[in-house]
Amino acid sequence: MPHLLSLMREDVGNVMEHDPAAKSRLEVFLCYSGLHALWLYRVNHWLWNHRLLLLGRWFSQIGRFLTGIEIHPGAKIGRRLFIDHGMGVVIGETAIVGDDVTLYQGVTLGGTGKEHGKRHPTLEDNVVVGGGAKILGNITIGKNSRIGAGSVVLRNVPEHSTVVGVPGHIIFRQGQRVVITDPKQINDPLSEALAAVVTEVNKLRERIQQLEGTEATREPLSAHLQRIMEDIDYQI
Ligand SMILES: CC(C)(COP(=O)(O)OP(=O)(O)OC[C@H]1O[C@@H](n2cnc3c(N)ncnc32)[C@H](O)[C@@H]1OP(=O)(O)O)[C@@H](O)C(=O)NCCC(=O)NCCS
């Protein structure tokens, strides 16, 4: 019990630290449904782990009714989870959430409907998931990564990456802008087509240079093409 209270204190402090809208600890305690859902989850998870499965599930449904947030009692959630606004958040039974993760409203950590066993995602520490994003299947979102609002992510995301879109593709990796995602990792037909065209342009330029026999006449690449080529070099 004292442990639970100290966790609650830590959760309130965490919200004060991260939400500029939070004006006082009392306001956070009373008004943040994300925290209420998390605290209920901790009780339900305890019940679940003590084989009181139906009770855990039933209380989680009550929590959903009260907060609009559905956290399955079987999910494993680390410290200082911040669910901002919260309405519509769903966290599935086999989801694993690390420490210091932030979820905005409407986030789903769900299954694809095709898998059994571990069928929900794993979010490593410090991951931020934007409003309405859907992360589906037994995939891992690497630590310190950010998932853009409205994205649908179906593949593993490496650490320190930013992913946006449907299907999700990487736009930043290790702080570096990525124009074209790695076709080996993400199925994005447009990126693949663009990568093929740029590779072809590169070959043609080299061939022309060979035929001309001189590099002196070489035209500089347009800044845009240069950037795309650098990204392809970086990615592939
Ligand atoms: C993904 C995110 C973290 C990126 O933030 P950032 O690093 O500051 O990146 P930028 O805003 O510079 O955007 C980079 C590019 O990604 C695009 N982009 C950003 N977020 C996007 C999204 N959710 N979906 C699709 N494209 C997105 C931008 O248009 C921009 O494209 P461009 O360079 O071709 O113009 C942020 O946009 C986001 O979605 N945050 C979630 C916030 C949220 O859900 N808030 C809810 C509050 S209730």
Side-chain angles (χ1 to χ4, degrees):
M1 190 66 172
H3 181 56
L4 209 60
L5 289 177
S6 76
L7 281 179
M8 287 169 77
R9 233 191 319 270
E10 182 179 73
D11 294 331
V12 171
N14 185 45
V15 173
M16 291 296 292
E17 210 174 293
H18 287 100
D19 188 0
K23 301 289 182 280
S24 72
R25 294 179 77 87
L26 183 62
E27 181 207 350
V28 171
F29 180 79
L30 293 175
C31 303
Y32 278 65
S33 354
L35 288 188
H36 304 154
L38 180 63
W39 295 336
L40 274 167
Y41 154 79
R42 290 207 181 115
V43 174
N44 300 336
H45 188 58
W46 186 90
L47 293 171
W48 187 264
N49 285 343
H50 288 78
R51 308 303 301 161
L52 296 164
L53 305 186
L54 181 58
L55 206 56
R57 273 293 287 136
W58 185 41
F59 284 171
S60 86
Q61 282 303 105
I62 294 173
R64 175 179 179 270
F65 178 76
L66 295 174
T67 64
I69 297 166
E70 183 174 332
I71 308 179
H72 195 286
K76 294 192 176 78
I77 295 183
R79 305 262 296 260
R80 297 175 296 279
L81 170 65
F82 177 30
I83 304 177
D84 201 6
H85 305 291
M87 183 60 80
V89 167
V90 176
I91 301 180
E93 179 189 356
T94 60
I96 300 175
V97 176
D99 295 336
D100 300 297
V101 167
T102 301
L103 308 178
Y104 289 102
Q105 81 280 3
V107 166
T108 302
L109 306 183
T112 57
K114 295 182 287 192
E115 295 163 303
H116 298 281
K118 171 86 169 88
R119 60 198 182 281
H120 301 109
T122 296
L123 272 51
E124 294 183 348
D125 297 348
N126 271 314
V127 166
V128 177
V129 187
K134 310 292 163 198
I135 305 180
L136 306 177
N138 181 18
I139 58 173
T140 299
I141 311 298
K143 65 180 178 194
N144 299 315
S145 288
R146 297 180 304 160
I147 308 299
S151 308
V152 177
V153 183
L154 302 162
R155 304 245 174 153
N156 292 330
V157 172
E159 297 176 357
H160 306 280
S161 306
T162 301
V163 168
V164 300
V166 181
H169 57 278
I170 299 169
I171 56 164
F172 289 103
R173 188 181 286 177
Q174 306 281 0
Q176 245 193 303
R177 181 67 202 244
V178 177
V179 176
I180 297 170
T181 52
D182 183 346
K184 293 195 280 304
Q185 281 192 16
I186 309 279
N187 275 342
D188 179 351
L190 194 58
S191 294
E192 281 181 39
L194 202 47
V197 168
V198 172
T199 309
E200 208 53 39
V201 168
N202 232 355
K203 278 190 203 154
L204 288 171
R205 289 177 68 92
E206 279 170 16
R207 184 79 186 117
I208 289 170
Q209 277 163 26
Q210 277 172 4
L211 291 173
E212 286 177 342
T214 168
E215 292 219 2
T217 56
R218 186 177 177 170
E219 292 283 321
L221 289 177
S222 76
H224 190 60
L225 193 55
Q226 181 71 47
R227 203 175 90 174
I228 291 175
M229 284 183 162
E230 280 168 10
D231 279 339
I232 287 179
D233 282 347
Y234 172 66
Q235 289 287 322
I236 298 175

